[in-house]
Amino acid sequence: FAQNTFPKFSLKNLEEETISNSNFNEPDKIYVFAFWATWCAPCIQELDAINDVYFDWKEELNVEVIAVSIDDARTSKRVKPMVNGRDWDYTILLDTNQDLKRVLSIANPPYTVVVKNGEIVHVQSGHTPGSENELFEKLKSL
């Protein structure tokens, strides 16, 4: 990634509230921004896998996972039913215009950006079974 500072953003959540960087600025807290889409099977697998261990992650680390949907206007209406059906315990943001995705030069989801103190400290592209464990090991080292 070209930049180390996580870009400023303003996105809607599932309740239509506008959420921005200022919602994620707790000192030394680790924010995991997981970019995904309803049509991306590996994305769903990754978020399901993290959800299974998320409680443990939060017990051990000061961490928050933010699932950023890059579904466009046409497919974004599928996001809420999918999230509700999967019982994910994440903050869900909608990058419907894909502005944040563009600024971060993300080619394809799943794409994970780890942010601490406003700085990008780790990036993970793609998902293979078990990569959530590698990610957790990385988070523990931050």
Side-chain angles (χ1 to χ4, degrees):
F1 45 93
Q3 57 191 17
N4 287 352
T5 305
F6 196 70
K8 298 253 180 282
F9 69 87
S10 178
L11 299 172
K12 297 261 189 231
N13 65 10
L14 293 178
E15 287 71 46
E16 296 289 319
E17 299 162 332
T18 299
I19 307 290
S20 69
N21 295 61
S22 59
N23 295 79
F24 307 106
N25 60 5
E26 188 182 309
D28 294 328
K29 184 167 185 175
I30 301 166
Y31 296 99
V32 178
F33 289 88
F35 289 81
W36 69 287
T38 55
W39 43 263
C40 165
C43 300
I44 311 298
Q45 291 163 358
E46 177 178 61
L47 289 169
D48 277 345
I50 292 174
N51 200 50
D52 289 342
V53 292
Y54 191 33
F55 180 78
D56 298 330
W57 284 21
K58 288 195 291 189
E59 285 218 315
E60 202 163 325
L61 300 169
N62 187 11
V63 65
E64 181 177 347
V65 175
I66 300 97
V68 183
S69 161
I70 57 167
D71 281 271
D72 60 19
R74 195 173 45 84
T75 58
S76 64
K77 60 183 174 296
R78 298 186 202 146
V79 173
K80 195 170 191 173
M82 178 176 274
V83 168
N84 291 341
R86 299 194 101 77
D87 210 21
W88 289 340
D89 188 24
Y90 306 132
T91 299
I92 308 289
L93 298 180
L94 305 171
D95 189 15
T96 316
N97 297 330
Q98 302 191 347
D99 294 334
L100 189 54
K101 175 187 176 232
R102 258 194 304 282
V103 173
L104 289 165
S105 306
I106 297 170
N108 295 307
Y111 193 89
T112 306
V113 180
V114 180
V115 178
K116 187 174 180 181
N117 297 325
E119 298 295 308
I120 297 173
V121 291
H122 180 66
V123 168
Q124 185 171 297
S125 183
H127 172 73
T128 51
S131 59
E132 68 282 355
N133 300 324
E134 291 168 41
L135 179 59
F136 183 61
E137 290 305 316
K138 181 69 191 169
L139 297 179
K140 286 201 297 194
S141 72
L142 296 174

